[in-house]
């Protein structure tokens, strides 16, 4: 997975590659679909949601330039896999999931994979960020938003980085938003297709 799907497509951040080589992705894929754990595609995790394609997890994570001291917010915890990868690279991860069933599943998966020590799973509407533990040095959003939710920008430290898919329900641009000196600078990384962000600042 790491060699053929991630390094071969140009991701060279050794810390990201090492983390993804170490974390057992099969622990985050529901039993009936375990054979697809290392496939080059999103995999269904139930409740109409998916665990993202490994390359997209690597790309989004690499965009955040994590060094190890950060508090990271993940919006859309799903299976918990991406949160585990972030947890391997940062000090602490707050992973917010709107569906309680998936939040419970993510917690179980993270424990079984031995990745739960610095990852807190919270059931909440992450389109509003998560104020009790803000601010965050980095934010990763794993669901497609109609626009960048203002609370996420407000809960980002300065300097800080936010990666988020923004666009229509059917196609989005993966944006990296860098906050620095009180200003934000936005770049498009690539075209993507994510499941919809729900909640106050998502698709109603
Ligand atoms: N990062 C996940 C992929 C999850 S797919 C993984 O590694 O498995 C996107 C997830 O976002 C879904 O689980 C969905 O329920 C969740 N989601 C959608 N809107 C949300 C919101 N407003 N707040 C928190 N989670 C949300």
């Amino acid at each position: 997975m790491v060699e053929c799907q991630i390094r071969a497509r140009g991701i060279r951040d050794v810390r990201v590659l090492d983390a993804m080589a170490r974390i057992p992705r099969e622990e985050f894929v529901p039993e009936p679909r375990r054979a697809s754990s290392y496939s080059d595609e999103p995999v269904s995790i139930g409740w109409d949601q998916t665990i993202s394609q490994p390359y997209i997890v690597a790309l989004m994570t690499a965009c955040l330039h994590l060094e190890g001291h950060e508090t990271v917010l993940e919006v859309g915890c799903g299976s918990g896999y991406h949160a585990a990868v972030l947890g391997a690279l940062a000090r602490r991860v707050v992973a917010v999931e709107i569906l309680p069933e998936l939040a419970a599943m993510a917690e179980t998966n993270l424990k079984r994979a031995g990745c739960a020590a610095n990852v807190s799973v919270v059931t909440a509407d992450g389109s509003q960020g998560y104020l009790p533990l803000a601010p965050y040095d980095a934010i990763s959003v794993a669901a497609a938003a109609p626009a960048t939710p203002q609370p996420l920008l407000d809960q980002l430290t300065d300097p800080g980085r936010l990666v988020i898919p923004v666009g229509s329900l059917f196609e989005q641009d993966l944006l990296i938003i860098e906050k620095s000196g009180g200003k934000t600078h936005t770049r498009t990384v690539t075209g993507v297709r994510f499941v919809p962000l729900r909640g106050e600042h998502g698709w109603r």
Side-chain angles (χ1 to χ4, degrees), residues 4 7 11 16 33 35-36 38 41 48 59 61-63 88 115 124 135 138 150 161 168 185 191:
C4 303
R7 197 197 298 271
I11 305 234
V16 175
R33 285 176 289 281
S36 304
Y38 295 89
E41 60 195 359
D48 284 335
L59 180 65
T61 307
C63 283
C115 300
Q150 186 61 40
R161 281 199 168 85
S168 73
H185 173 74

Side-chain angles (χ1 to χ4, degrees), residues 25 28 45 47 49-52 57 74-83 96-99 102 122 124-128 142-143 194-202:
R25 188 167 154 97
F28 297 88
I45 52 172
W47 291 275
Q49 306 302 324
T50 54
I51 174 172
S52 304
V57 173
E74 191 202 18
V75 177
C77 174
S79 69
Y81 176 71
H82 197 169
V96 181
E97 172 55 53
I98 202 165
L99 296 177
L102 283 178
V122 178
D125 170 15
S127 80
Q128 305 186 60
F194 278 76
V195 296
L197 181 72
R198 302 292 178 194
E200 181 72 25
H201 297 274

Side-chain angles (χ1 to χ4, degrees), residues 71 73 75 96 125-139 149-158 160 179:
T71 298
L73 176 70
V75 177
V96 181
D125 170 15
S127 80
Q128 305 186 60
Y130 189 66
L131 206 46
L133 297 173
Y136 304 98
D137 304 291
I139 301 179
Q150 186 61 40
L152 298 184
L153 293 169
D154 295 343
Q155 291 172 33
L156 193 62
T157 57
D158 185 346
K179 193 195 255 191

Side-chain angles (χ1 to χ4, degrees), residues 35-198:
S36 304
S37 297
Y38 295 89
S39 301
D40 192 11
E41 60 195 359
V43 179
S44 169
I45 52 172
W47 291 275
D48 284 335
Q49 306 302 324
T50 54
I51 174 172
S52 304
Q53 180 190 17
Y55 169 68
I56 293 294
V57 173
L59 180 65
M60 292 175 80
T61 307
C63 283
L64 296 177
H65 299 284
L66 298 173
E67 293 176 350
H69 57 81
E70 300 86 354
T71 298
V72 181
L73 176 70
E74 191 202 18
V75 177
C77 174
S79 69
Y81 176 71
H82 197 169
V85 173
L86 295 167
L89 298 168
R91 187 176 64 83
R92 179 174 194 196
V93 178
V94 179
V96 181
E97 172 55 53
I98 202 165
L99 296 177
E101 296 88 349
L102 283 178
M105 186 180 87
E107 259 187 339
T108 307
N109 293 346
L110 284 157
K111 282 197 188 114
R112 205 177 43 225
C115 300
N118 63 343
V119 180
S120 312
V121 179
V122 178
T123 304
D125 170 15
S127 80
Q128 305 186 60
Y130 189 66
L131 206 46
L133 297 173
Y136 304 98
D137 304 291
I139 301 179
S140 176
V141 182
T148 306
Q150 186 61 40
L152 298 184
L153 293 169
D154 295 343
Q155 291 172 33
L156 193 62
T157 57
D158 185 346
R161 281 199 168 85
L162 162 62
V163 63
I164 179 168
V166 173
S168 73
L169 282 169
F170 308 102
E171 53 183 5
Q172 305 93 33
D173 288 331
L174 185 64
L175 304 182
I176 165 102
I177 302 173
E178 293 179 70
K179 193 195 255 191
S180 175
K183 295 192 187 127
T184 58
H185 173 74
T186 304
R187 273 184 299 126
T188 299
V189 182
T190 185
V192 286
R193 182 167 183 173
F194 278 76
V195 296
L197 181 72
R198 302 292 178 194

